[in-house]
Amino acid sequence: MGATALGMLALVVAFSFPHTIIVMADGLQQITWLRRKKQIHWGDIVEINTGERSRAVTITGADGTRVVHTHQLPDRPRLLMELKVHCGENLPPDFPR
């Protein structure tokens, strides 16, 4: 019973580590420890949701892939700047709200 609880705790800790988001020339890539890599090309971005209360930025691709920048990750202003540079013509003029 104790070993099972310890194993479950180890899985919760491993999945709770913040993910790494890499800004590349052709899009965004989110790297996680135990899951697959997620990649969204700049042209495939269909929605950018900047959470006001949670301070999370959710970027959704045309195929439903989601890259989430949470409050645990550093440098939110740089991510928003990169989104404005690469997707500026499709964003509202007051981005980010």
Side-chain angles (χ1 to χ4, degrees):
M1 189 77 151
T4 303
L6 186 60
M8 295 295 284
L9 180 63
L11 283 175
V12 167
V13 169
F15 279 101
S16 68
F17 281 112
H19 312 294
T20 302
I21 296 177
I22 300 172
V23 176
M24 301 180 306
D26 60 343
L28 296 171
Q29 184 176 28
Q30 184 174 18
I31 300 172
T32 61
W33 280 41
L34 299 175
R35 299 180 204 162
R36 65 177 178 88
K37 295 178 184 178
K38 297 178 183 180
Q39 187 170 357
I40 301 176
H41 295 281
W42 294 119
D44 294 340
I45 294 176
V46 294
E47 181 183 4
I48 300 171
N49 185 4
T50 56
E52 295 175 9
R53 290 187 197 169
S54 65
R55 292 188 30 92
V57 178
T58 305
I59 301 120
T60 307
D63 62 351
T65 303
R66 301 173 102 192
V67 171
V68 180
H69 184 280
T70 62
H71 69 281
Q72 297 172 324
L73 294 172
D75 218 1
R76 179 181 182 203
R78 179 169 178 248
L79 176 67
L80 295 175
M81 182 192 68
E82 292 288 342
L83 288 170
K84 191 164 190 164
V85 167
H86 293 285
C87 304
E89 64 275 356
N90 298 326
L91 296 173
D94 63 341
F95 179 82
R97 300 180 224 11

